[in-house]
Amino acid sequence: MAGINDTPGDDPRLSYQEALALVELPPLPSSAGTTSGSVRRFMSTSPVYVQTTDYPRDHPLWGMHKSGFGGHVYAQSGLAAYKVWKSVEDQKGAKSHERLGIHTIHGYFTLAAKPDRPFVYHVQVLTTLRSLATLSVTAYQPSQPSTNPKADYFPLADGSLPLEPPSFTGIVSFKLAEAHSSGVNSQEAPPQVRFADILSSRPPSEWAPSPITDIEAIVEYFAQENQSIVGLFPMVDVKKVDMSAYNRDKPPHERREIALYRLVKPLPSPADGNDSVLVHAFAADRNGLLMVGNHNGLGHKFGKAATISNTFVVHENVDEAVMEYGTGEGKGLGNEWWVMEYSFPRTARGRGIVVNKIWSPKGVHVATEYQDGVVRSNEASQRVKL
């Protein structure tokens, strides 16, 4: 079965700028400007992606999962912080070599994302140094659905609705670009080398689409039905490499999963490394905790997976994170695929951690995601509530 979005013409998957679009709201009564201590507010205008709505409407899995994708609020929080910091630098008249790039995003998830209402972000500058700045971001959602009954976009009026307690709280840091210190630049061999035999066995585009819901029982069901659904996951096309032979007979902490990804539509022009960093952060959140369950024997009795905390660290200057759009194969601008390498070093006490390394097409370890979250069996989920 072809994917539900495998149709001629334009790709219906949302671009980065469409999925994470923000409008600025009026300042709070006691806050104005962008100096330390003030708060600026933004509101999302596109609904958060919900994975199980990608299944056919007559399928039993359609609408099974009501919550939105957590990577949306995570990456959009980074974008809201970037907008504020960029305006601070613009006001200062900062030259290109003086501008800071996204360095880390640290965040905590406290309420599930509701797709029928926007996110409202409160952003505050905390510290400003020549080479480092930190901003806090708190994301809220209204306590009632959007004033647009279809909830296919969120009008400005939604920004005046009363708010629930925070859905997400985070700190975003920005750092000045610099050269390698005394030429020091070390990393392990990239997956393109360590898994060369596997990755070279077929062109990247011929690997299966990343599962909409990467739970073993669901994946097996669709395999039996010989179905492949691409879905409407925004920003990037993601392929999952078959690592089953490599992982066989290994304990969970030694196993690896590999995903290949590239843009579905061009980024805003001119290219900005910070925009690309946020695409990587968005993509990195996909399916990680579900794979933790699969590798720890919960794939046929999955109860719950939910992120508690997520940290994204950029190891390079943001220029190394820039993604180019392309649709071909082989070497060439935009044709090459980025690599996510997942590992699962610890699972216990109803939680698991995912370490997801982001590798460039050239084999540079650009960033790492450290995601800690709830991973429970269906029996445990009936006894415990976060």
Side-chain angles (χ1 to χ4, degrees):
M1 171 178 156
I4 60 172
N5 63 336
D6 289 352
T7 54
D10 292 339
D11 192 321
R13 289 174 289 186
L14 296 180
S15 66
Y16 159 78
Q17 51 269 41
E18 292 168 330
L20 298 188
L22 288 169
V23 294
E24 186 158 8
L25 298 175
L28 296 171
S30 60
S31 179
T34 56
T35 58
S36 181
S38 67
V39 175
R40 285 178 59 182
R41 302 190 306 144
F42 299 85
M43 187 189 79
S44 62
T45 58
S46 294
V48 61
Y49 167 75
V50 180
Q51 61 201 49
T52 55
T53 57
D54 273 341
Y55 297 117
R57 279 186 172 269
D58 60 351
H59 195 279
L61 291 176
W62 189 89
M64 174 188 70
H65 190 65
K66 307 296 184 184
S67 301
F69 174 61
H72 180 109
V73 67
Y74 189 75
Q76 200 164 44
S77 291
L79 178 59
Y82 173 54
K83 285 181 175 291
V84 171
W85 183 247
K86 184 176 185 300
S87 71
V88 170
E89 292 182 321
D90 289 345
Q91 289 175 11
K92 291 179 178 178
K95 298 179 174 60
S96 59
H97 68 276
E98 298 172 325
R99 291 180 179 262
L100 312 185
I102 296 175
H103 164 235
T104 63
I105 306 173
H106 302 275
Y108 298 86
F109 297 78
T110 47
L111 288 178
K114 298 179 176 68
D116 63 352
R117 62 203 70 184
F119 284 101
V120 174
Y121 298 92
H122 290 191
V123 185
Q124 184 174 11
V125 177
L126 298 177
T127 60
T128 58
L129 300 170
R130 183 191 66 84
S131 61
L132 184 72
T134 60
L135 287 78
S136 70
V137 185
T138 306
Y140 304 85
Q141 286 193 287
S143 56
Q144 62 195 66
S146 171
T147 57
N148 170 19
K150 292 183 179 180
D152 53 352
Y153 73 93
F154 302 124
L156 197 57
D158 287 354
S160 300
L161 296 173
L163 300 175
E164 291 183 327
S167 303
F168 174 87
T169 55
I171 300 289
V172 183
S173 62
F174 295 81
K175 187 184 178 303
L176 187 68
E178 61 178 284
H180 299 304
S181 178
S182 298
V184 174
N185 177 22
S186 63
Q187 63 172 43
E188 64 184 316
Q192 293 96 323
V193 172
R194 285 181 283 122
F195 305 115
D197 290 347
I198 299 172
L199 294 175
S200 63
S201 65
R202 69 186 74 177
S205 61
E206 292 185 11
W207 291 104
S210 180
I212 293 171
T213 308
D214 199 348
I215 295 175
E216 197 169 60
I218 296 175
V219 172
E220 289 176 1
Y221 167 82
F222 281 103
Q224 292 167 2
E225 297 293 317
N226 196 29
Q227 295 180 344
S228 177
I229 301 176
V230 176
L232 294 174
F233 187 78
M235 302 188 208
V236 288
D237 186 21
V238 187
K239 304 291 186 180
K240 186 178 180 182
V241 175
D242 183 358
M243 297 292 290
S244 56
Y246 174 86
N247 289 328
R248 189 174 297 121
D249 299 327
K250 288 183 173 64
H253 67 275
E254 292 183 5
R255 299 178 190 176
R256 297 292 183 271
E257 294 287 2
I258 299 291
L260 311 176
Y261 67 108
R262 65 180 179 184
L263 294 168
V264 297
K265 293 177 181 176
L267 290 173
S269 183
D272 187 314
N274 292 286
D275 291 318
S276 291
V277 166
L278 297 172
V279 175
H280 296 306
F282 182 92
D285 191 45
R286 191 176 191 190
N287 281 333
L289 290 174
L290 301 183
M291 290 188 279
V292 170
N294 291 338
H295 287 295
N296 284 276
L298 303 183
H300 287 266
K301 54 181 179 180
F302 221 106
K304 182 175 184 178
T307 305
I308 300 173
S309 68
N310 200 354
T311 294
F312 193 83
V313 180
V314 182
H315 309 301
E316 281 281 350
N317 298 332
V318 294
D319 289 348
E320 287 288 341
V322 170
M323 303 180 75
E324 300 285 354
Y325 173 70
T327 59
E329 294 287 358
K331 297 187 180 299
L333 192 63
N335 290 340
E336 297 175 305
W337 296 69
W338 287 73
V339 181
M340 290 187 282
E341 179 187 3
Y342 302 83
S343 62
F344 318 98
R346 180 66 167 143
T347 307
R349 308 293 183 181
R351 291 186 293 120
I353 189 165
V354 182
V355 177
N356 186 356
K357 298 176 182 177
I358 308 299
W359 297 87
S360 77
K362 297 178 181 178
V364 177
H365 183 187
V366 171
T368 307
E369 175 205 40
Y370 306 88
Q371 182 182 20
D372 176 78
V374 171
V375 180
R376 297 190 186 123
S377 69
N378 47 21
E379 297 99 331
S381 293
Q382 293 171 7
R383 299 192 302 268
V384 182
K385 186 175 182 180
L386 180 64

